[in-house]
Amino acid sequence: MKIELSYTEENYLKAIFSLSVKKESAVSTNEIAQKLETKASSVTDMIKKLNDKKLVDYKKYQGVSLTDFGRSTAVYIVRNHRLWEVFLVEKLNFSWDEVHDIAEQLEHVKSEKLTERLEAFLDHPTHDPHGDPIPDENGNINHESSEPLFNIEKGSTCVLVGVRDSSSLFLQFLDNSNIKLGSEIKVIHKEVFDNSMTVVVDTLTRSLSSQITKNLFVKEVN
Amino acid sequence: MKIELSYTEENYLKAIFSLSVKKESAVSTNEIAQKLETKASSVTDMIKKLNDKKLVDYKKYQGVSLTDFGRSTAVYIVRNHRLWEVFLVEKLNFSWDEVHDIAEQLEHVKSEKLTERLEAFLDHPTHDPHGDPIPDENGNINHESSEPLFNIEKGSTCVLVGVRDSSSLFLQFLDNSNIKLGSEIKVIHKEVFDNSMTVVVDTLTRSLSSQITKNLFVKEVN
DNA sequence: TATTATTTTTAGACGCATCTAAATAAATGT
DNA sequence: ACATTTATTTAGATGCGTCTAAAAATAATA
Ligand SMILES: [Mn+2]
Ligand SMILES: [Mn+2]
Ligand SMILES: [Mn+2]
Ligand SMILES: [Mn+2]
């Protein structure tokens, strides 16, 4: 099942996909507008078009959800994005805070063969540099259980397995704090007042705001 | 000197650049239209815009030529294109007839750093898989003397250094004929009737039409 | 040189993706 | 339940890149 999609259509699908992951219900016009930094009226126009192309299900005023077709198209783009991020970090020695914007461009290059060759060249990576799983050629995503550091109880120890914010500023902050994927984090205090957390990483004690702990995804260890 | 160019504007610059290489005079509207498979009226509109942006010099009815700025922009895209072609062949094991269309997409990815890192990763290649020189980071192109096999005299021996047609059909024909960059070609007969040529490549004798010999670029050896 | 043919430009339209402003529907609060 | 706020859609416009048809300029030819 092939179809010619514009760069823009692909970005809408990707946005709807990522907004759908967290929620079960339909995605709202405004959510999409915010994510894509555009206006709600533009979103309405586009989702009508995507609806005509059977990529989304849309009822006026009822929000939008991906069809199976739309979902698999979105996943294919996500696959490209994450493979290119791995390439940039592993082969071209970019740091993890530099690759997202370039991958936003590369993900739209259309060639099935390119994707498969790239994946093989990279030795079939399972995760991108930010800990996000890379969908396989059939669109299956290996969802592993992880939760925001925000949820971890005082006294527990966990391992950082993903970051849910690819902005340079956030990632550079983590670099400067010596926090990386695989780091062991022990929660030693939770401040009720502002929900900040005191943790120990690499023998160093740090205080992390809730904005940060909500974007760090961890697995508990015993 | 930076400027935001659309995909389309870049393709026009590249087309004008490649048409300018052979000729000294200005490039005509129709030539560009033919190269880009579009209409002359569309070309007129676009070259007006490029003229406004100081990328080309344009006088009504007098054709168009690149400014220094336009030329360096075009060369930068050509550099990207050829580096990506090398990547696809050398690293992802594509054959030389598969890479042009993918590189047409990749060449538009905007990141100076990506270009430089890619070049280093590829060990600073000097030529792309079709024998075309790769401009360096300053836009300098190493023009080597070569001429179409068509011009070579009977009895001379030469080496294939470039192909001036990146179509799959042509390149696959060469593959099937065991003709590749570096192949030694000895001219043993030139047919006056249809300008075809009889040559020896790899101990095998072959007849090549003028359409072929005009697209094979060689260097004579003694 | 005058006539014809070709090339190039202009005029006017269209589809895409976007916007602002206005209208309408849905959600919220008293 | 009614009024108000918020979310969503529609109406109408713009810029980009394209097209066809017609006009204008240039080139070719008789
Ligand atoms: Mn990313
Ligand atoms: Mn990522
Ligand atoms: Mn090419
Ligand atoms: Mn090439």
Side-chain angles (χ1 to χ4, degrees), chain B residues 3-17 32 36 42-59 64-71 73-74 77:
Chain B
I3 190 175
E4 276 302 305
L5 291 180
S6 73
Y7 188 102
T8 310
E9 289 170 325
E10 291 188 346
N11 281 336
Y12 270 87
L13 287 180
K14 201 157 58 98
I16 297 166
F17 174 72
I32 299 169
L36 292 176
S42 306
V43 173
T44 302
D45 283 348
M46 178 56 85
I47 58 188
K48 278 179 187 167
K49 191 165 40 142
L50 295 177
N51 185 68
D52 291 346
K53 294 189 177 182
K54 312 283 187 206
L55 289 157
V56 303
D57 287 322
Y58 167 60
K59 292 264 170 12
V64 71
S65 59
L66 292 171
T67 62
D68 284 352
F69 177 37
R71 189 184 168 283
T73 306
I77 302 161

Side-chain angles (χ1 to χ4, degrees), chain A:
Chain A
M1 193 129 48
K2 262 174 234 199
I3 188 175
E4 277 300 306
L5 292 180
S6 71
Y7 188 101
T8 310
E9 289 169 326
E10 292 188 346
N11 281 335
Y12 270 87
L13 287 179
K14 201 157 57 97
I16 297 166
F17 174 72
S18 94
L19 291 169
S20 303
V21 169
K22 296 142 197 170
K23 309 203 312 169
E24 199 46 58
S25 56
V27 176
S28 80
T29 304
N30 262 359
E31 285 176 292
I32 300 169
Q34 192 183 353
K35 179 122 195 166
L36 293 176
E37 294 176 291
T38 182
K39 294 296 147 81
S41 56
S42 306
V43 173
T44 302
D45 283 347
M46 177 57 86
I47 60 189
K48 278 180 188 166
K49 192 167 36 144
L50 295 177
N51 185 67
D52 292 345
K53 293 190 177 180
K54 311 283 185 206
L55 290 157
V56 302
D57 287 322
Y58 166 60
K59 292 263 166 17
K60 263 191 197 177
Y61 294 101
Q62 300 311 123
V64 72
S65 59
L66 292 172
T67 62
D68 284 354
F69 178 36
R71 189 185 167 284
S72 71
T73 306
V75 168
Y76 178 71
I77 302 161
V78 169
R79 174 165 153 82
N80 272 328
H81 182 101
R82 294 179 181 166
L83 285 171
W84 280 117
E85 285 189 344
V86 173
F87 169 72
L88 293 170
V89 167
E90 296 293 318
K91 302 294 184 181
L92 300 195
N93 298 115
F94 280 90
S95 58
W96 69 344
D97 62 291
E98 300 174 303
V99 298
H100 180 76
D101 291 344
I102 302 176
E104 286 288 312
Q105 303 179 62
L106 287 164
E107 70 189 6
H108 300 289
V109 173
K110 280 161 192 67
S111 167
E112 289 264 346
K113 200 164 186 176
L114 174 57
T115 305
E116 305 319 317
R117 292 286 176 92
L118 182 62
E119 189 195 28
F121 181 60
L122 299 172
D123 264 327
H124 306 280
T126 59
H127 293 80
D128 82 0
H130 314 103
D132 292 311
I134 296 174
D136 70 18
E137 64 268 53
N138 303 312
N140 301 119
I141 304 178
N142 189 1
H143 284 111
E144 288 165 66
S145 63
S146 68
E147 52 185 331
L149 175 57
F150 186 86
N151 292 353
I152 303 300
E153 296 305 316
K154 172 178 170 179
S156 295
T157 300
C158 53
V159 167
L160 183 65
V161 297
V163 293
R164 211 100 310 167
D165 175 349
S166 289
S167 70
S168 280
L169 273 177
F170 179 59
L171 298 175
Q172 280 167 16
F173 164 81
L174 297 179
D175 281 343
N176 295 335
S177 308
N178 241 304
I179 298 174
K180 46 179 85 68
L181 293 188
S183 290
E184 249 192 32
I185 300 172
K186 175 163 189 174
V187 180
I188 61 176
H189 179 66
K190 291 181 86 168
E191 180 56 56
V192 267
F193 172 61
D194 64 352
N195 288 308
S196 68
M197 231 180 213
T198 307
V199 301
V200 176
V201 188
D202 255 354
T203 72
L204 273 165
T205 303
R206 310 194 158 275
S207 175
L208 302 175
S209 72
S210 67
Q211 205 201 322
I212 289 164
T213 58
K214 280 175 181 165
N215 283 298
L216 294 176
F217 275 67
V218 298
K219 263 189 190 160
E220 277 197 75
V221 293
N222 304 326

Side-chain angles (χ1 to χ4, degrees), chain B residues 24-92:
Chain B
E24 199 46 58
S25 56
V27 176
S28 81
T29 303
N30 262 358
E31 286 175 291
I32 299 169
Q34 189 182 354
K35 180 122 196 167
L36 292 176
E37 293 176 294
T38 183
K39 294 296 147 80
S41 55
S42 306
V43 173
T44 302
D45 283 348
M46 178 56 85
I47 58 188
K48 278 179 187 167
K49 191 165 40 142
L50 295 177
N51 185 68
D52 291 346
K53 294 189 177 182
K54 312 283 187 206
L55 289 157
V56 303
D57 287 322
Y58 167 60
K59 292 264 170 12
K60 263 191 196 177
Y61 294 103
Q62 300 311 125
V64 71
S65 59
L66 292 171
T67 62
D68 284 352
F69 177 37
R71 189 184 168 283
S72 71
T73 306
V75 168
Y76 178 71
I77 302 161
V78 168
R79 174 166 153 81
N80 272 328
H81 181 100
R82 293 180 181 167
L83 284 171
W84 280 116
E85 284 190 346
V86 173
F87 170 72
L88 293 170
V89 167
E90 296 292 318
K91 302 293 184 181
L92 300 194

Side-chain angles (χ1 to χ4, degrees), chain B residues 87-101:
Chain B
F87 170 72
L88 293 170
V89 167
E90 296 292 318
K91 302 293 184 181
L92 300 194
N93 298 114
F94 280 90
S95 58
W96 69 343
D97 62 291
E98 300 174 303
V99 297
H100 181 77
D101 291 344

